[in-house]
Amino acid sequence: MVSEIGKSESFKKIFSIYMNKNIVIYGTNAVAEKVIHENPEFRFVGIIDEKRKNGYFMDKKILSEREILSLDVELIIITEDIQITFLTYQTIYYLTAIYNIPIFHVTGLNLWDAFKKIDSQTSQYMFRNERELKKKIGEYDIISFDIFDTLIMRTTLFPRDVFELVRYKAESRGIYIPDFMKIRREAERRINHKIPNIYQIYDEIQRISNISDIDKEILRNLEIEIESEVIIPRHKMVEIFYYALELGKTVYLVSDMYLPKEILEPIIHRLGISGYFELLISCDYGTNKCKNMFDILRARLNGKKCLHVGDNVVADILGALSIGFDAFYIKSAYDLISASEHHELIKNSTTLNERNATGLLISNLFNSPFSLYEMRGKIRLNTRFDIGYTVFAPILIGFSQWMNEEAIALQCVKEKNDLMTVLEEIGRLNNSSITKSRLVKKADYVVWLLSYEERFRKNLSGYKIYVMQDSVDKKQIESADGDWYIDNETLRKKSGKYLNSNIKLIKKFLSARQNCIIHEQIKFGIQRYAEYYLRVLYTSSEQITSKFSAVILNQFDMEGCL
């Protein structure tokens, strides 16, 4: 994109009205050199460069702010790529705001206008909805969609958490690489100028860590496998994608990603995304959206108008605007939770398991980019399924993880398969005061502990945890016939701290409701969450803390959902 604009005919066409005006070039790069060299008829009076405060470039003086104002400068042209331009403009935009000096990108984009458009889309985001996007789609011949965090998303909180899952699963297979996450990031950084694919990244990992060819292949395949498992569709955006197709629009998918088309395309097909005209991925072309990726798309369009839809303000929005496309900004799930009243969840997600638990939550709560529409940062759980998935499931996963880890550490699981006996054994070995809990046939409040991970299934399958009121009918106790129920006094002191805390948390929500049995849809929400979390995201190395569970329970408005 930038390199093409440096050509004489392109530059003359774009900036012809400024030919006899005083122009300052921002940047001392190859594009700036080409612009000055090939356009001698323009009046370039000097250079601005963040790193060079004095001297000359291409026989043009590097100017200070005072000199810019004294020279009656009438145009500033930034020659950096879009990503650097985004940062650069924010340091010099005052020259437009105060001194009315227009600032353009070398592609011809008026940056004052572009940033106003970006600000209008981002600052008023909570008042934008799918109807506005659909209306916009109707105005254009070509629609291009970003892929990651637009049409699809990961269920991990951060993309880098995938690398930690790779490390954990690799170690379970006997492959140990100290500082794997650091090496994974460093390998990509070293060859990032190439816009590498995953094969090149793992070649670089091998050079850094000296792993064998076999281990390299295992690690690479593990990452591809985990990526495939953690990626889910953003259902509302997929619906809008098909709306564009139904209108007869030509749809392109454009992504900055290290998974090449041969890997990514089967994944998105499996998620129900197909029928697009072409899939363009940065690592297949050795460039990205901040450089020449949109040029590659534009060359296919025969001058037709294009709307690009994406979540990245710089790469998707500013990048599309700089090439002459229109752009529609949507927020990723991560950006939505960051902008909501529930941003505390991110700060309190410290371990990998907690981050994965939060990632799974927001992939449900903020799957739609319009989930906060007219909500002023609030979100309400409107269905019983959402309560089970969002509130109870993370707490119960944390409890089950704690119990399983304690049982394994104290070697009681292999000998005992009775839940209450296991709990008693844990308490006894920890000098805790666990006694057999009161037995209740029908508790007022019921929460199911559901788990599909192998060792839970073997040892704890079928047991129910009932959170009870303080007052219990003795007849219920006497008529109990085999299920064990745990009240909020079951565990104390060290081993009881976690369980006791979580039961109190659940009880806090339920205590205001009389004779309330948890609905089937709540149990289904717990089941769906537990199934996915334990199959894909769970690691035994880091527990979910009761502090995290407290944040979960206190974050969401559930009144009236039961």
Side-chain angles (χ1 to χ4, degrees):
M1 181 193 306
V2 173
S3 59
E4 291 298 310
I5 294 299
K7 291 183 178 180
S8 178
E9 63 273 16
S10 300
F11 188 87
K12 284 185 177 67
K13 183 177 179 181
I14 293 170
F15 294 105
S16 59
I17 63 172
Y18 291 96
M19 188 173 291
N20 297 315
K21 298 183 182 296
N22 292 340
I23 300 173
V24 167
I25 296 293
Y26 190 106
T28 56
N29 50 40
V31 176
E33 183 177 344
K34 182 181 287 191
V35 165
I36 294 169
H37 176 71
E38 296 185 358
N39 300 281
E41 61 272 45
F42 281 79
R43 192 188 302 163
F44 300 116
V45 299
I47 304 293
I48 311 174
D49 191 88
E50 182 182 354
K51 296 179 181 177
R52 297 175 61 177
K53 303 301 181 185
N54 51 56
Y56 288 82
F57 175 79
M58 296 291 291
D59 295 326
K60 308 296 179 185
K61 189 178 187 215
I62 296 175
L63 305 174
S64 66
E65 177 188 332
R66 181 176 296 178
E67 289 171 315
I68 292 170
L69 299 176
S70 68
L71 288 171
D72 192 26
V73 172
E74 297 167 275
L75 177 66
I76 296 173
I77 299 174
I78 300 177
T79 60
E80 307 287 358
D81 70 30
I82 284 298
Q83 191 165 15
I84 297 174
T85 296
F86 180 78
L87 301 173
T88 297
Y89 179 75
Q90 294 177 75
T91 67
I92 64 171
Y93 81 95
Y94 69 92
L95 293 171
T96 301
I98 298 174
Y99 301 107
N100 296 315
I101 302 173
I103 303 174
F104 278 65
H105 187 249
V106 70
T107 56
L109 179 67
N110 183 322
L111 291 170
W112 179 265
D113 292 343
F115 273 74
K116 279 180 64 178
K117 186 164 193 171
I118 289 171
D119 183 65
S120 70
Q121 292 201 34
T122 55
S123 64
Q124 299 298 313
Y125 187 81
M126 302 308 178
F127 300 98
R128 310 186 81 197
N129 58 31
E130 63 181 286
R131 292 190 299 275
E132 185 177 347
L133 175 53
K134 287 180 175 180
K135 180 181 178 182
K136 202 77 173 173
I137 286 171
E139 299 171 3
Y140 291 84
D141 305 310
I142 310 292
I143 311 298
S144 76
F145 287 93
D146 171 50
I147 300 178
F148 278 86
D149 291 322
T150 298
L151 290 178
I152 63 178
M153 64 176 292
R154 295 178 179 92
T155 54
T156 54
L157 183 58
F158 302 115
R160 67 176 183 269
D161 291 333
V162 169
F163 307 154
E164 196 160 349
L165 285 169
V166 172
R167 176 196 60 78
Y168 173 78
K169 295 194 176 185
E171 289 180 357
S172 71
R173 300 184 185 192
I175 302 174
Y176 297 90
I177 302 179
D179 299 320
F180 172 76
M181 288 181 62
K182 182 179 178 181
I183 291 171
R184 172 63 177 78
R185 292 194 297 269
E186 174 64 14
E188 189 169 359
R189 186 195 66 78
R190 285 188 183 187
I191 57 176
N192 198 45
H193 62 282
K194 299 179 181 178
I195 317 296
N197 61 36
I198 194 167
Y199 301 104
Q200 295 166 321
I201 291 169
Y202 272 88
D203 286 342
E204 188 66 22
I205 289 173
Q206 185 178 37
R207 280 190 282 271
I208 296 171
S209 62
N210 295 316
I211 57 175
S212 68
D213 288 343
I214 293 174
D215 284 351
K216 178 184 74 172
E217 185 176 352
I218 291 172
L219 286 167
R220 186 186 64 228
N221 290 340
L222 262 178
E223 181 168 333
I224 294 169
E225 175 189 320
I226 291 168
E227 283 279 18
S228 179
E229 287 181 326
V230 303
I231 292 171
I232 63 171
R234 295 192 81 182
H235 299 290
K236 180 58 66 177
M237 288 307 300
V238 173
E239 176 188 313
I240 292 171
F241 163 83
Y242 279 108
Y243 172 80
L245 290 178
E246 289 167 5
L247 290 182
K249 308 299 180 180
T250 301
V251 175
Y252 287 83
L253 305 186
V254 185
S255 180
D256 286 347
M257 185 55 182
Y258 48 80
L259 295 180
K261 182 177 179 179
E262 67 189 66
I263 295 174
L264 186 56
E265 191 158 51
I267 293 174
I268 63 175
H269 284 177
R270 176 176 56 81
L271 297 176
I273 301 169
S274 61
Y276 47 84
F277 189 79
E278 191 173 2
L279 170 61
L280 305 175
I281 304 176
S282 61
C283 68
D284 290 334
Y285 293 89
T287 188
N288 58 34
K289 286 180 278 192
C290 289
K291 295 180 180 176
N292 299 93
M293 199 68 191
F294 283 121
D295 264 333
I296 293 169
L297 175 58
R298 183 173 62 176
R300 289 157 160 75
L301 305 187
N302 297 319
K304 293 181 179 179
K305 295 193 304 177
C306 179
L307 173 71
H308 179 71
V309 182
D311 72 291
N312 189 298
V313 169
V314 181
D316 289 310
I317 309 307
L318 196 58
L321 293 174
S322 71
I323 204 68
F325 296 168
D326 199 356
F328 193 98
Y329 172 68
I330 64 157
K331 282 187 181 291
S332 66
Y334 181 87
D335 287 339
L336 284 168
I337 192 171
S338 299
S340 76
E341 290 188 348
H342 315 297
H343 57 83
E344 288 289 318
L345 283 174
I346 297 175
K347 184 176 71 175
N348 286 281
S349 302
T350 55
T351 70
L352 176 61
N353 279 326
E354 288 171 355
R355 292 197 303 275
N356 288 341
T358 299
L360 196 50
L361 288 184
I362 68 174
S363 71
N364 180 59
L365 290 174
F366 301 104
N367 189 275
S368 168
F370 308 110
S371 56
L372 292 180
Y373 173 61
E374 292 189 335
M375 292 299 292
R376 299 187 182 278
K378 298 179 180 179
I379 192 163
R380 182 180 174 82
L381 303 181
N382 293 314
T383 69
R384 295 182 175 100
F385 176 90
D386 285 341
I387 293 177
Y389 195 97
T390 303
V391 180
F392 291 128
I395 295 173
L396 292 177
I397 287 290
F399 163 69
S400 64
Q401 183 192 13
W402 168 83
M403 186 165 58
N404 191 71
E405 294 300 320
E406 289 287 303
I408 289 174
L410 298 167
Q411 298 182 335
C412 7
V413 167
K414 292 180 181 178
E415 301 172 6
K416 315 285 184 182
N417 61 7
D418 182 296
L419 173 60
M420 200 59 227
T421 307
V422 168
L423 289 173
E424 288 178 343
E425 185 72 4
I426 293 171
R428 184 182 66 78
L429 293 174
N430 280 301
N431 297 315
S432 183
S433 59
I434 296 181
T435 58
K436 276 195 174 181
S437 181
R438 292 171 291 180
L439 302 177
V440 183
K441 176 72 173 180
K442 293 181 181 179
D444 294 307
Y445 308 124
V446 183
V447 178
W448 286 74
L449 176 62
L450 296 175
S451 171
Y452 289 83
E453 203 267 358
E454 182 67 22
R455 58 192 176 200
F456 294 154
R457 194 161 61 242
K458 284 182 179 178
N459 300 301
L460 305 177
S461 176
Y463 287 100
K464 307 170 188 178
I465 294 181
Y466 285 67
V467 181
M468 307 186 315
Q469 289 180 315
D470 289 332
S471 58
V472 180
D473 189 337
K474 290 183 180 180
K475 291 182 180 179
Q476 292 178 328
I477 298 174
E478 293 169 358
S479 63
D481 59 359
D483 283 332
W484 295 99
Y485 304 89
I486 306 169
D487 67 15
N488 69 336
E489 298 299 325
T490 301
L491 298 178
R492 294 179 183 275
K493 299 181 182 178
K494 291 182 180 179
S495 68
K497 184 177 180 181
Y498 186 81
L499 177 61
N500 188 40
S501 173
N502 276 317
I503 288 183
K504 283 184 176 178
L505 289 170
I506 299 172
K507 188 172 181 180
K508 178 181 177 182
F509 164 61
L510 295 171
S511 60
R513 296 162 173 78
Q514 298 298 318
N515 300 318
C516 174
I517 301 296
I518 296 299
H519 192 275
E520 285 292 328
Q521 280 297 306
I522 294 181
K523 291 190 284 187
F524 182 52
I526 297 170
Q527 177 182 342
R528 286 288 298 274
Y529 182 102
E531 255 184 331
Y532 185 91
Y533 180 83
L534 293 168
R535 177 174 57 84
V536 177
L537 300 174
Y538 170 77
T539 73
S540 62
S541 57
E542 296 175 310
Q543 289 188 0
I544 294 174
T545 64
S546 56
K547 178 183 177 183
F548 175 79
S549 298
V551 173
I552 292 286
L553 191 62
N554 292 326
Q555 280 290 311
F556 301 106
D557 175 14
M558 299 167 284
E559 193 65 39
C561 296
L562 290 178

